Amino acid sequence: MLNAITDFLGKVDNFVWGLPLIILILATGVFLTVRLRGLQIIRFPLAIRYMFSSDEEDGNGEVSSFAALCTALSATIGTGNIVGVATAIVSGGPGALFWMWMAAIVGTATKYAECLLAVKYRVVEKDGHIIGGPFYYIENGMGKQFRWLAKIFAVFGIMVGLFGIGTFTQINGITSAVGNFFDADSVHYINLFGRDYSITIVISGIILTVFVALVLIGGLKRISNVAQVVVPFMAMVYVLVVLIILGLNITKIPAALVEIVEGAFGLRAFGGGMFGAMIVAMQKGIARGIFSNEAGLGSAPIAAAAAQSKEEVRQGLISMLGTFIDTIIICTMTGLSIVITGAWDMGLEGVAVTTKAFQMGLPFPDKVAAFILMICLVFFAFTTILGWDYYSEKCLEYIIGNKPKAITVYRWIYIACIFIGPYMTVQAVWTIADICNGLMAIPNLIALIALSKVVVSETNSFFERGVHKQLK
């Protein structure tokens, strides 16, 4: 039965993430990059200055621009950066990392556009709280006649939260890492649902579920407060650790880069398999890249809409840095460590691949290396769970309206999904996540193309008014 379900999900995944969607994602990013004249590259220094600026604008919003970025990063920096990169390289070869880069470079323009639109078309509710995102820039930007498309996005957003990025993949990655560290051979196990599970996995799953429940009760401000502390700290710790691996293996980096580029175009395949190998590398790389940085997915705009900013372009510039930080920095470092050590080609899967890379690359005992990765993964995934609850709640709120009791019920359903996540297989978890992500991206990408003229107009106006020169 489980094999039949897995096979069915695999077929759906291959259909959703076929060439049409891959082309749509890349084409949208390229289209916006051209229309914005390479803004993500030319205005990158300005975006950095805005991120570190203490000059907060007097605009409507619930959290600071930096807090909004951290909330978005809390949802993006998670298992995708550690486990997702590993699964992409195992399934698509080292070349998958190249396509993650390509998706990220053009995806930065996509992230800029969607976050700009989120601030422009956000709505202030009667009680003063703000809601915004693709559903509102579809409805208010494209017109009321496209409300059906906005609702489709919101439904898929809820699905991604409950069955995709938000719950199953995160808790499954955390408990797998904890189980591999404390009870790798499952010596201490319990039989549940007809299968044996390490007691460590069961206990860690319960503990994490309780902590998530405690934070979610506090809403957006508590989530953003946690994110502002945890995300920057854990990102720096993770980057520092991986830099040690790369530094100790610096002579292997050139060969690894060659392997990545050759794998991206199927140059290591034989005969007629070259094109097929390239397509698989593209499929896995782009799918995991979107899973990781969420550019074009439509999630980050929901957080950006809550920022205390009256300038749409400013928030768009700040928000687009999320794609750079997530993929170009963190995913690249993870991917290089996996390729350099050869951990991707050892018959392992999921978090075990990255764990093996850490153990082989760090000058520490295996237990210490595994513990470091486990801690990073726990905190990254924990904040992702929190961020995606906020996203999916806003999607639900768009559909049913501001109904606190219904939102509370949804939170408990969300928590229940976290509770059952550890008992699903790695392959099923990531396949479901891919399907939900792809379905969510489609209506958002359509809206970005339709509203590209608005994005260009707002951008030109911002720089013509010289607002960027007023930065303190």
Side-chain angles (χ1 to χ4, degrees):
M1 181 65 178
L2 288 175
N3 289 334
I5 294 174
T6 300
D7 290 341
F8 172 74
L9 290 174
K11 291 178 181 177
V12 175
D13 184 27
N14 289 331
F15 174 77
V16 172
W17 280 101
L19 274 178
L21 182 56
I22 291 176
I23 292 172
L24 178 61
I25 290 172
L26 292 178
T28 301
V30 171
F31 174 69
L32 290 170
T33 297
V34 172
R35 292 215 63 181
L36 293 168
R37 300 174 185 175
L39 173 139
Q40 72 267 43
I41 298 172
I42 296 172
R43 299 296 181 180
F44 185 79
L46 178 62
I48 295 292
R49 290 171 61 202
Y50 274 139
M51 183 174 71
F52 290 108
S53 172
S54 58
D55 178 28
E56 191 66 68
E57 295 179 276
D58 183 23
N60 292 324
E62 297 182 56
V63 296
S64 68
S65 295
F66 180 71
L69 173 62
C70 285
T71 300
L73 281 173
S74 74
T76 55
I77 300 178
T79 55
N81 303 85
I82 298 176
V83 185
V85 175
T87 58
I89 294 176
V90 169
S91 302
L97 185 59
F98 175 88
W99 293 109
M100 290 183 77
W101 295 337
M102 294 301 101
I105 290 173
V106 298
T108 305
T110 305
K111 182 71 70 72
Y112 166 80
E114 57 188 0
C115 291
L116 179 155
L117 291 171
V119 176
K120 180 175 178 60
Y121 293 108
R122 64 188 176 184
V123 173
V124 180
E125 296 288 352
K126 293 179 180 179
D127 62 0
H129 88 279
I130 290 176
I131 180 173
F135 28 80
Y136 275 120
Y137 58 70
I138 290 173
E139 179 181 331
N140 298 332
M142 295 175 65
K144 301 291 183 182
Q145 68 270 29
F146 288 99
R147 185 177 293 172
W148 61 271
L149 187 64
K151 288 185 176 180
I152 288 176
F153 171 86
V155 169
F156 289 150
I158 295 170
M159 290 173 60
V160 172
L162 288 178
F163 311 120
I165 299 176
T167 55
F168 292 161
T169 53
Q170 308 304 325
I171 185 66
N172 194 278
I174 290 175
T175 54
S176 294
V178 174
N180 286 340
F181 179 76
F182 288 104
D183 190 19
D185 298 323
S186 296
V187 176
H188 307 287
Y189 63 89
I190 184 173
N191 188 278
L192 294 172
F193 316 114
R195 296 182 61 191
D196 292 335
Y197 295 94
S198 169
I199 293 177
T200 303
I201 288 179
V202 176
I203 294 175
S204 60
I206 293 172
I207 292 174
L208 188 70
T209 302
V210 171
F211 274 100
V212 168
L214 291 174
V215 176
L216 292 187
I217 293 171
L220 172 61
K221 289 189 176 180
R222 184 177 294 180
I223 292 172
S224 63
N225 287 339
V226 172
Q228 286 185 86
V229 175
V230 175
V231 172
F233 175 73
M234 289 313 303
M236 287 189 290
V237 170
Y238 186 76
V239 167
L240 179 62
V241 171
V242 180
L243 278 176
I244 294 174
I245 297 176
L246 299 181
L248 293 174
N249 296 274
I250 193 167
T251 57
K252 298 179 181 179
I253 292 179
L257 292 174
V258 170
E259 188 175 3
I260 289 167
V261 174
E262 289 183 348
F265 297 97
L267 299 179
R268 290 186 172 239
F270 295 96
M274 186 175 74
F275 181 73
M278 184 179 75
I279 293 300
V280 172
M282 287 181 66
Q283 181 189 44
K284 299 304 178 182
I286 294 174
R288 292 292 184 266
I290 295 300
F291 177 96
S292 180
N293 62 51
E294 300 175 15
L297 199 60
S299 52
I302 301 174
Q308 294 168 340
S309 178
K310 62 184 178 183
E311 291 289 351
E312 299 92 340
V313 171
R314 173 181 173 134
Q315 189 56 46
L317 290 170
I318 294 173
S319 295
M320 79 177 189
L321 292 175
T323 302
F324 177 83
I325 295 170
D326 178 275
T327 304
I328 303 300
I329 295 179
I330 299 180
C331 285
T332 295
M333 299 181 80
T334 302
L336 279 176
S337 66
I338 291 172
V339 175
I340 285 171
T341 58
W344 67 278
D345 198 23
M346 295 182 177
L348 302 172
E349 66 174 11
V351 70
V353 177
T354 314
T355 300
K356 188 65 177 177
F358 270 50
Q359 291 174 335
M360 295 175 66
L362 290 172
F364 309 134
D366 286 356
K367 275 290 184 181
V368 175
F371 179 78
I372 292 172
L373 179 65
M374 179 192 71
I375 292 298
C376 291
L377 183 59
V378 166
F379 281 99
F380 281 164
F382 179 71
T383 54
T384 300
I385 290 172
L386 302 182
W388 263 98
D389 171 75
Y390 173 70
Y391 289 161
S392 53
E393 279 185 21
K394 292 303 179 184
C395 289
L396 178 63
E397 186 177 335
Y398 174 76
I399 295 174
I400 67 173
N402 186 17
K403 297 180 180 178
K405 290 184 178 179
I407 297 298
T408 300
V409 171
Y410 174 79
R411 285 181 185 172
W412 285 110
I413 296 174
Y414 189 89
I415 292 167
C417 287
I418 295 169
F419 180 75
I420 66 175
Y423 311 111
M424 300 179 67
T425 65
V426 172
Q427 184 178 357
V429 161
W430 285 93
T431 302
I432 292 172
D434 278 348
I435 293 170
C436 293
N437 292 353
L439 293 175
M440 183 179 178
I442 294 171
N444 183 53
L445 293 170
I446 292 172
L448 292 177
I449 294 172
L451 297 173
S452 61
K453 185 176 180 179
V454 176
V455 175
V456 174
S457 176
E458 291 292 339
T459 302
N460 291 341
S461 174
F462 178 84
F463 289 108
E464 287 171 0
R465 288 184 286 120
V467 179
H468 61 296
K469 297 179 181 179
Q470 301 170 17
L471 177 64
K472 296 179 180 179

